């Protein structure tokens, strides 16, 4: 094991005050709930050693890069939603809570969804409820309840009293996962919360909590440190009657598909408003009850339905065999074992308010995979009509005797919370793994007549990792949880990124890696090496999978990465590392089992979780591979059970270089080999499965002999998924945590937010591609910062002068596609294309006292374009039309299409101007597709000239032609 080195550095009070003033301006625009997350936790200077590897005193003022923006590119195929509700009295108003994408709202029945929770410090949503008495009152329980191994966690309960415009945090921070919220139908101040609790350890904030003052205070009324709650419902006719579903569940740190069902679960009832509780047992399973869903018929409150998860096998009937029956013989060696008897779970009904229960169905279509589903809703006008979502949406109209599938695709969609509009039982919203959908004809007798709104208008995809596909313009690929892998154009084929510009792809599945082939654009590998031609959407023949001499272990996500030093080499790992150099026609195992051999059970686990096993037993896997970009035989790997190894010779020899501070089951989420020094590497480590949610990143500069923990500036309580190094600037690192994005300019000695306009979500992977920085989030899809040249050029000199003009990156004069006819309408799901042409970035230390101008000068010295903070000085003037061509009468287009250019900014901070290098068309000339002249495009050498307060700054740049025109 390598020893971990610690170091401290000094920082003066004067330095602190100077830098705090700069940081404070940017922080002041964020709400108080976010400032703690976004503020660097320390403002220390890097040590002399650190400065020798970085080139900038850090952290830096965020004003120096405040003009950069993340650009969302989709996809618009919705991610998992477990919570959804409508609004009584407002038939077109609905909310859904994405499991790591925040709360969204529609006011037009699902045509357009807008995020309404992005200012909050968590985006994982488990429950949402609207008051029947006051439709402006909305409660949200954070922390998803679909407890996969990639689950997001929350920080308690939120409330809005203005229909989602603003939110208040109401506490219960340590509940982590909330399954349901119930509001008294007559008094929105009386609220119950069903808190599942922490997933990897016991804690007090689990169970049923009650508030009688609108969430200002909470009282725990049911549950203990081990048994939490997942369900709570209030009798609509008598709010003193409350039903609750308790669930004792955990996960171990090794891979298991499902969480556990520990002792203590069941259905409980209170008749005094939650002060005392009685367990309901008659007709229900005697033991082993896991997750439950409960629903009361509004028109007959004695009718109560429940969906119950219980894996305890049915006891087979004991029948005396007839006299003379031969004794049973053991099965022959190698025979397949018989299927276990079905569990005792199922769909239950009570007609006496829970006193007794009858199981009407044990069909797994209603209760199977109960840890993931178990929700239901009763028609508000008919006690016999019940909806039970599972893999499909199931409906009975005779009280549970017979069932039809109302909605369900061949691939298995997976559905969650249903909610029915009280005044119209045909109106229903259902949450699903692909987003939220609404129907207006839920009671149609023939399921084929039931129609639904789209789930292809919700950019809440949960992506694990990303890879660029090298076609031009480049595509971004990755596996989307629940829906399968996807590819999205970074620049749309037409005027925007729309449904035309993303495609489902086969390689990668819903959770694997994708790997674009750098030598063959349009070819992407995925999973354990499958190879596909994306243009033709067909597999490439001759591809094989790695083979092992013993059963392969696998986590939900296994690494598959190309070497950047030798781009024909592709690596994959399970517990072994494999290599192919011939396009996956053959694979060679190049390592022994690199995981821990000892079985280590964390002390935080209960007995049930400690005993749980799945396909891996209690063993780990290789979780990350990092081939050196500058020395092909050098490869680093990290495991999910807390080991780091390297090989200097392409697998002939392996060395354990794990830092001594990394304990078993500390998941090494990413190792990044340096692009500048073969001895340097970075490793991010996630310990939340050991009940330690803090961030951990380590750095070595001596091939793993010693490691330094480099987390200054990263806030506590948000573990790290990824760390990556910019291949163009030494010392520039980015890190993604469960909550946000961070950047370091000094090789990790100091970190600061790079969140900018990106909403809070789980950040899983980055890729630097050309001048762009691409990110994969696990809840809000893909985002890009177009042209990070300012980040790469930042230095102490930038802030010393009153103004600074960054050198523009060489630009491509893209030929913008158009819709060639009726354009895509603005209410269709779409994302922006990147700006065309050159991006001119500049920084002002203080507001300019005179107009700021930017001139584009060609190689002959002629000014071809002028931008100015004075609209009258622009060529043509910004937002103005010459008097001779002022329109008269009624405009022929709506204000949605009447965009006007913004004047150049003259305020303090960093700003960006985009120059589209197209010569102005002759006035009055028709478009090219209507017979007018073709656009004349600038290419060649240019100079950007910035004038601020009478001082001139200049930088050269080049505009290159669109390479697609050259190939033609």
């Amino acid at each position: 094991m390598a020893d971990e080195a610690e170091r401290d550095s000094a920082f003066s009070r004067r330095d602190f005050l100077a830098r705090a003033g700069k940081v404070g301006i940017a922080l002041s625009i964020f709400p108080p709930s976010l400032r703690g997350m976004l503020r660097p936790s320390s403002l220390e200077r890097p040590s002399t050693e650190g400065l020798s590897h970085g080139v900038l005193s850090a952290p830096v003022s965020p004003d120096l890069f405040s003009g950069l923006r993340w650009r969302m590119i989709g996809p618009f195929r919705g991610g998992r939603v477990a919570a959804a509700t409508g609004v009584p009295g407002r038939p077109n108003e609905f909310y859904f809570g994405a499991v790591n994408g925040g709360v969204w709202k529609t006011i037009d029945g699902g045509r357009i969804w807008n995020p309404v929770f992005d200012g909050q410090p968590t985006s994982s949503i488990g429950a949402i409820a609207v008051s029947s008495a006051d439709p402006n009152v909305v409660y949200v329980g954070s922390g998803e309840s679909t407890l996969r191994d990639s689950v997001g966690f929350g920080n308690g309960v939120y409330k809005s009293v203005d229909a989602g415009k603003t939110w208040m945090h109401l506490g219960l921070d340590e509940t982590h996962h909330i399954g349901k919220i119930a509001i008294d139908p007559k008094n929105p101040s009386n609220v119950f919360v069903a808190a599942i609790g922490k997933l990897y350890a016991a804690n007090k904030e689990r169970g049923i909590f009650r508030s009688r003052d609108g969430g200002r205070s909470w009282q725990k009324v049911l549950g203990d440190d081990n048994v939490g709650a997942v369900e709570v419902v209030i009798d609509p006719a008598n709010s003193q009657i409350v039903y609750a579903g308790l669930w004792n569940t955990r996960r171990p740190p090794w891979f298991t598909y499902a969480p556990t069902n520990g002792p203590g679960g069941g259905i409980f009832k209170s008749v005094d408003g939650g002060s005392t509780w009685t367990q309901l047992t008659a007709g229900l399973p005697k033991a082993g009850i896991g997750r439950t869903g409960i629903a009361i018929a509004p028109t007959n409150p004695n009718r109560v339905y429940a969906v119950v998860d219980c894996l305890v096998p049915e006891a087979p009937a004991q029948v005396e065999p007839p006299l003379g029956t031969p004794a049973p013989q053991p099965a022959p060696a190698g025979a397949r074992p018989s299927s276990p008897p079905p569990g005792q779970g199922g769909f239950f009904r009570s007609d006496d308010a829970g006193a007794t229960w009858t199981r009407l169905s044990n069909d797994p279509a209603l209760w199977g995979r109960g840890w993931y589903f178990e929700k239901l809703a009763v028609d508000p006008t008919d006690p016999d009509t019940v909806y039970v979502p599972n893999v499909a949406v199931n409906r009975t109209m005779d009280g549970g005797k017979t069932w039809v599938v109302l909605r369900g695709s061949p691939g298995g969609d997976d559905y969650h919370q249903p909610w029915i509009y009280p005044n119209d039982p045909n109106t229903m919203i259902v949450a699903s793994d692909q987003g939220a959908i609404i129907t207006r004809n839920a009671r149609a007798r023939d399921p084929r007549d039931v129609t639904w709104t789209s789930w292809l208008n919700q950019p809440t995809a949960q992506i694990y990792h990303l890879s660029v596909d090298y076609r031009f313009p480049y595509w971004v690929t990755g596996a989307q949880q629940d829906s399968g892998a996807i590819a999205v154009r970074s620049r749309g084929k037409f005027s925007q990124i729309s449904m035309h510009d993303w495609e489902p792809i086969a390689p990668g599945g819903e959770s694997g890696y994708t790997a674009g082939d750098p030598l063959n654009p349009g070819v992407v590998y995925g999973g354990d090496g499958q190879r596909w031609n994306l243009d033709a959407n067909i597999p490439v023949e001759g591809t094989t999978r790695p083979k092992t001499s013993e059963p392969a272990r696998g986590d939900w996500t296994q690494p598959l990465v190309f070497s950047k030093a030798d781009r024909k080499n592709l690596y994959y790992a399970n517990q072994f590392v494999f290599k192919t150099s011939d396009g996956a026609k053959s694979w060679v195992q190049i390592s022994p089992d690199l995981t821990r051999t000892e079985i280590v059970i964390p002390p935080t686990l209960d007995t049930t979780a400690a005993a749980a096993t799945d396909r891996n037993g209690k063993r780990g896997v290789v979780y990350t591979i990092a081939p050196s970009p500058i020395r092909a035989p050098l490869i680093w790997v990290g495991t999910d059970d807390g080991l780091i190894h390297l090989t200097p010779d392409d697998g002939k020899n392996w060395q354990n270089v794990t830092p001594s501070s990394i304990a078993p089951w500390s998941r090494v989420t990413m190792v990044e080999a340096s692009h500048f020094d073969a001895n340097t590497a970075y490793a991010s480590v996630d310990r939340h499965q050991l009940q330690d949610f803090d961030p951990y990143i380590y750095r070595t500069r001596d091939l793993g002999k010693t490691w330094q923990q480099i987390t200054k500036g990263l806030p506590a309580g948000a573990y790290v998924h990824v760390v990556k190094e910019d291949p163009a600037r030494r010392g520039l690192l980015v890190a993604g945590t469960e909550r946000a994005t961070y950047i370091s300019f000094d090789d990790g000695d100091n970190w600061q937010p790079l969140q900018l306009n990106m909403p809070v979500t789980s950040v899983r992977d980055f890729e630097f591609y050309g001048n762009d920085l691409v990110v994969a989030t696990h809840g809000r899809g893909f985002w890009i910062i177009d042209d990070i040249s300012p980040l790469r050029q930042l230095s102490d000199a930038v802030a010393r002068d009153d103004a600074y003009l960054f050198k523009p990156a060489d630009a491509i004069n893209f030929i913008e596609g158009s819709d060639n006819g009726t354009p895509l309408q603005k209410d269709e799901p779409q994302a922006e294309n990147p700006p065309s042409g050159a991006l001119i970035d500049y920084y002002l230390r203080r507001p300019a006292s005179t107009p700021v101008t930017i001139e584009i000068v060609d190689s002959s010295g002629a000014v071809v374009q002028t931008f100015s903070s004075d609209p009258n000085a622009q060529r043509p003037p910004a937002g103005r039309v010459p008097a001779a061509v002022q329109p008269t009468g009624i405009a022929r287009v709506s204000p949605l299409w009447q965009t006007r250019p913004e004047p150049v900014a003259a305020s303090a901070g960093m700003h960006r101007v985009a120059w589209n290098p197209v010569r102005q068309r002759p006035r009055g000339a028709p478009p090219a597709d209507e017979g007018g002249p073709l656009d004349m495009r600038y290419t060649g050498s240019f100079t950007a000239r910035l004038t601020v307060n009478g001082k001139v700054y200049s930088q050269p740049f080049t505009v290159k032609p669109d390479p697609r025109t050259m190939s033609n």
Side-chain angles (χ1 to χ4, degrees), residues 102-119:
V103 178
W104 294 67
K105 179 180 179 180
T106 180
I107 59 173
D108 57 10
R111 174 63 176 164
I112 294 177
W113 292 92
N114 290 305
V116 295
F117 202 72
D118 284 356

Side-chain angles (χ1 to χ4, degrees), residues 159-207:
K159 178 183 178 182
S160 174
V161 295
D162 53 13
K165 294 177 183 176
T166 60
W167 297 91
M168 300 173 286
H169 184 232
L170 302 181
L172 297 181
D173 297 54
E174 296 301 310
T175 52
H176 272 213
H177 303 281
I178 292 178
K180 194 73 173 296
I181 293 177
I183 307 172
D184 186 326
K186 297 180 176 61
N187 184 356
S189 293
N190 292 339
V191 188
F192 289 86
V193 169
I196 300 169
K198 294 184 176 179
L199 194 51
Y200 297 97
N203 74 307
K204 294 186 180 301
E205 286 195 1
R206 63 184 347 128

Side-chain angles (χ1 to χ4, degrees), residues 71-77 456-457 459 475 486-504 817-819 822-834 897:
R71 178 173 60 91
M72 187 272 295
I73 66 169
F76 288 91
R77 182 172 64 181
L456 299 177
N457 58 0
W475 293 60
I486 198 158
V488 185
R489 286 187 175 98
S490 62
R491 176 185 291 268
K493 187 176 181 180
F494 301 100
S495 300
Q496 62 282 307
I497 297 173
S498 70
M499 287 284 291
H500 303 295
D501 299 304
W502 65 265
E503 300 173 358
S818 72
D819 293 299
T822 301
L824 185 74
Q825 296 303 291
K826 295 294 187 181
D827 56 355
E828 296 292 339
Q830 58 191 274
E832 292 182 358
N833 270 339
W897 299 92

